[in-house]
Amino acid sequence: MKRAALLLFCLLLPCAAYAGTEGPALAFTEVSCSKGTGADAAADAQRYGFSPAALSSLSDLSSMAPPQGGFVWVKLVFPVSRNQANRQLSFTARTILMAHECFLNGSRIGGSGAFPPHYFNDWASSHCFSIPSGLLREGDNVILLKIFGEGELGVTDPAVVSFDDGRSFMLKQDWATIYSSMIIASLLLVMALYHLVMFAANAKMRENLFYGMMALQFAVYFLNFFMTRIPGIEELHIGNLAMQKFFLINQTLIAFFLPAFVHEFIYCRRWRLAERILFGVCTAIPVGIILSAGGPYGEFKKQILLIYPFFLVMLLYSFGALAIGLFRGNRNAQVFFAAFVPMLATFILDLVMHLVLKRNGMIYFAGFGIFIFLVAVMVALALRFMRVYKESDRLLSELMKSDAANERKNAELRRLLGGIGEAVKELDRFSGALSKAADDLQSSMTNQGSNLEQTAAAVEEIRASIEMIAAGADDQSTDIDRSRNAVEDYISALSDIAAAAQRTSEFSEVNAQCTAESVGHLRSIADGMREISESSGAIREMTSMINDLSERTNL
């Protein structure tokens, strides 16, 4: 708050210094005014009688002109001494509304704007007309101002000063109004475009939209103070009524975007339906009234009065939102209030100076207050953006750290997933092998079932064969036993024969040899019979074991 007040004081101090006119001015001995036709300066001055008027009353001459617009003459008489007659002087006026020409002793020395039919009004400029020394005469000199206006006519702070003082006056006035307004409008335009670009980049930041549009409308409003200096604007022949409509619509848009920005800046939420209806109605109806207003200037001003209740509603909404925000301790509301105070102070200052003290020659300070307000709000938005940026930067740093940790975890997870993938592949292979084994087992079981049936039949056949073999073996064993007994008997007989043969001489050797060979063969036969007998026993045991096995396997 203190910084804003100090900034306001620093800006207003040089402007206040420019408010006055340097050096002593020549006194007017006669001030008068009259209606005129606008034909010729000398003719009008002689044809119409001038009524005396106070110098301060010249600031408002609208009552002397017709409602649809007309001419008014202002006559100023000032004495010049012999020494002053050889000097170069200047005629200055803070404002002359609207189009006008200035004559000195019947000779035109300057003018601004254009008279009908190509009417052009020059309302924002201060004026300084150089008075050549050859036009001055000793004694009374007469300045005639021929002024045309629609509803607004007047002359503010007319004076005759030295040439140097006149140049100094114009320089100060141009800086106080024209150049300062150009600078402020240019800065506001840059600020507006910057925030509109920010909104285009991030549509969620709606306060940038409303701030940009508000700054843009204020930039257009400041155009009012230097528009007549724009090259080529005079050729457009813009009338006072059309210009007033243009800037009234501009003020209506300001009245819309100001509370809209307050809403977004303080509450940071979307509008409710009732708020949208309120804002729409309080904007659309005044624009319709302005566009439809017409007729004489007096009637136009009466019709325009209907728009101000809607402005008041929007202003009350802004103050209400601000008061609620301050009551709740909203930081944005506190910042907005601190920025709003200088602008409010300049508005109050202008009201006091122009309406209460009737200092119509003073410049309007509200423009500087508006600029301070917008700059302060822009700084608040920038600081909030910086806080958001730092917070986002911090969150981004934490996110990057988290990303690094997550990357490590992801790498570990990928490794685990790779192992799981290998395990899944191994499981797939195992499942395939298991499935194949199951199929093989099922096939084997099927084959085994068939084989078991065949085996059972074969075992039955083997059992029958074994029984037959066993029976044959028993018979053979009996026959072998008989044959062995017979062989043994035969061997015994041969032994007896051999013994008998030994008793013969010739026959005994041959017979003994044959007998010995026969005995050897017979013994071999006996041994074979014995082995066959043992094999039969083994066959019996094997048959018994097969029978036991058949009983155990249920075959």
Side-chain angles (χ1 to χ4, degrees):
M1 182 73 71
K2 293 181 179 180
R3 294 179 180 178
L6 179 61
L7 180 60
L8 175 64
F9 175 77
C10 294
L11 286 175
L12 296 185
L13 185 60
C15 298
Y18 285 154
T21 302
E22 295 186 1
L26 299 181
F28 294 115
T29 58
E30 180 185 344
V31 178
S32 57
C33 53
S34 174
K35 298 180 181 180
T37 62
D40 177 74
D44 280 348
Q46 295 173 2
R47 184 178 300 119
Y48 298 101
F50 283 84
S51 302
L55 189 63
S56 59
S57 66
L58 298 181
S59 60
D60 186 8
L61 300 175
S62 57
S63 60
M64 298 188 65
Q68 68 275 12
F71 288 91
V72 171
W73 285 91
V74 175
K75 181 180 180 181
L76 301 170
V77 180
F78 63 97
V80 174
S81 64
R82 179 178 299 178
N83 294 332
Q84 291 173 334
N86 296 324
R87 296 173 54 193
Q88 188 175 6
L89 302 179
S90 296
F91 172 73
T92 63
R94 200 173 303 278
T95 58
I96 302 177
L97 302 176
M98 294 287 186
H100 59 274
E101 288 182 333
C102 182
F103 299 87
L104 175 65
N105 298 329
S107 298
R108 187 181 186 278
I109 60 174
S112 181
F115 295 137
H118 301 298
Y119 171 57
F120 174 74
N121 50 346
D122 188 2
W123 64 93
S125 300
S126 297
H127 305 280
C128 179
F129 304 126
S130 177
I131 301 176
S133 58
L135 294 180
L136 291 172
R137 62 194 177 194
E138 185 180 355
D140 289 340
N141 291 265
V142 179
I143 291 178
L144 289 176
L145 289 172
K146 176 185 173 183
I147 307 171
F148 178 85
E150 293 176 328
E152 292 184 345
L153 292 95
V155 183
T156 305
D157 294 342
V160 176
V161 297
S162 67
F163 179 77
D164 292 336
D165 288 342
R167 288 196 307 176
S168 177
F169 167 80
M170 280 301 298
L171 180 62
K172 293 178 180 180
Q173 289 300 312
D174 285 345
W175 272 106
T177 55
I178 306 298
Y179 300 139
S180 61
S181 297
M182 286 182 179
I183 294 172
I184 292 175
S186 300
L187 293 175
L188 291 179
L189 181 61
V190 172
M191 293 159 54
L193 294 178
Y194 172 75
H195 284 85
L196 291 176
V197 169
M198 290 185 63
F199 171 74
N202 185 0
K204 293 182 179 180
M205 302 180 67
R206 290 158 53 89
E207 64 271 18
N208 284 326
L209 170 65
F210 292 114
Y211 179 87
M213 294 303 298
M214 181 174 62
L216 181 61
Q217 295 306 317
F218 274 119
V220 173
Y221 175 77
F222 277 97
L223 186 68
N224 179 43
F225 299 101
F226 63 90
M227 189 173 183
T228 56
R229 298 292 182 92
I230 299 176
I233 194 69
E234 188 171 349
E235 284 73 16
L236 298 178
H237 308 299
I238 302 175
N240 181 49
L241 194 63
M243 191 59 61
Q244 294 232 10
K245 286 186 176 184
F246 174 79
F247 283 105
L248 283 171
I249 292 176
N250 167 249
Q251 294 172 26
T252 303
L253 295 178
I254 291 175
F256 168 78
F257 286 114
L258 177 62
F261 173 73
V262 171
H263 174 91
E264 290 292 335
F265 184 71
I266 294 178
Y267 293 126
C268 300
R269 62 170 174 81
R270 293 190 176 275
W271 293 358
R272 299 187 178 95
L273 179 61
E275 293 171 333
R276 295 181 182 181
I277 295 175
L278 174 66
F279 278 51
V281 169
C282 290
T283 303
I285 293 180
V287 171
I289 293 175
I290 294 169
L291 293 176
S292 61
Y297 187 75
E299 294 297 324
F300 173 77
K301 292 184 69 175
K302 291 179 182 179
Q303 297 173 36
I304 292 303
L305 292 176
L306 298 176
I307 71 174
Y308 292 105
F310 296 97
F311 287 6
L312 181 61
V313 171
M314 303 294 278
L315 187 63
L316 290 176
Y317 177 90
S318 301
F319 279 117
L322 181 60
I324 294 173
L326 291 173
F327 178 76
R328 294 177 178 177
N330 188 296
R331 179 177 177 81
N332 292 334
Q334 296 171 356
V335 172
F336 186 89
F337 179 75
F340 186 76
V341 167
M343 183 174 71
L344 183 62
T346 57
F347 276 95
I348 295 175
L349 178 61
D350 285 342
L351 291 175
V352 171
M353 296 301 296
H354 293 272
L355 296 181
V356 178
L357 301 179
K358 302 296 182 180
R359 296 292 302 274
N360 295 326
M362 293 292 293
I363 65 172
Y364 286 91
F365 297 104
F368 300 98
I370 291 171
F371 180 70
I372 294 172
F373 162 72
L374 291 175
V375 170
V377 173
M378 184 186 71
V379 171
L381 284 174
L383 292 176
R384 188 167 74 173
F385 176 77
M386 289 301 298
R387 289 195 299 270
V388 173
Y389 176 78
K390 289 181 179 179
E391 181 65 18
S392 63
D393 187 61
R394 184 185 65 82
L395 294 176
L396 180 61
S397 177
E398 293 181 357
L399 182 61
M400 291 177 65
K401 294 179 181 178
S402 177
D403 285 342
N406 290 337
E407 185 62 28
R408 292 193 296 270
K409 293 180 180 179
N410 288 336
E412 181 67 19
L413 182 60
R414 285 193 294 270
R415 188 183 64 81
L416 294 176
L417 289 175
I420 293 174
E422 293 296 328
V424 168
K425 292 179 181 179
E426 187 66 25
L427 182 60
D428 289 339
R429 290 194 296 269
F430 179 75
S431 298
L434 185 61
S435 176
K436 183 178 180 181
D439 293 339
D440 292 343
L441 179 60
Q442 184 177 3
S443 177
S444 176
M445 290 178 67
T446 303
N447 295 332
Q448 187 176 6
S450 176
N451 293 334
L452 287 174
E453 294 176 356
Q454 296 177 2
T455 303
V459 168
E460 289 295 334
E461 293 178 356
I462 292 171
R463 180 185 298 171
S465 300
I466 291 172
E467 289 178 353
M468 292 176 64
I469 291 170
D474 289 339
D475 295 338
Q476 188 176 8
S477 178
T478 303
D479 293 339
I480 290 171
D481 289 338
R482 291 176 181 173
S483 298
R484 187 181 60 185
N485 292 327
V487 169
E488 288 177 354
D489 291 340
Y490 183 67
I491 290 171
S492 177
L494 288 177
S495 297
D496 291 338
I497 294 172
Q502 286 179 356
R503 287 189 293 266
T504 63
S505 56
E506 294 177 0
F507 183 73
S508 58
E509 290 180 5
V510 175
N511 194 22
Q513 185 178 0
C514 293
T515 301
E517 291 178 358
S518 298
V519 170
H521 288 298
L522 289 174
R523 289 187 183 191
S524 297
I525 293 171
D527 291 335
M529 293 296 181
R530 191 180 294 110
E531 290 176 1
I532 291 172
S533 179
E534 290 175 359
S535 297
S536 298
I539 289 172
R540 290 193 199 97
E541 292 178 0
M542 185 179 296
T543 302
S544 177
M545 291 175 63
I546 289 173
N547 290 330
D548 292 338
L549 180 61
S550 298
E551 291 175 358
R552 290 177 184 177
T553 55
N554 297 320
L555 293 176

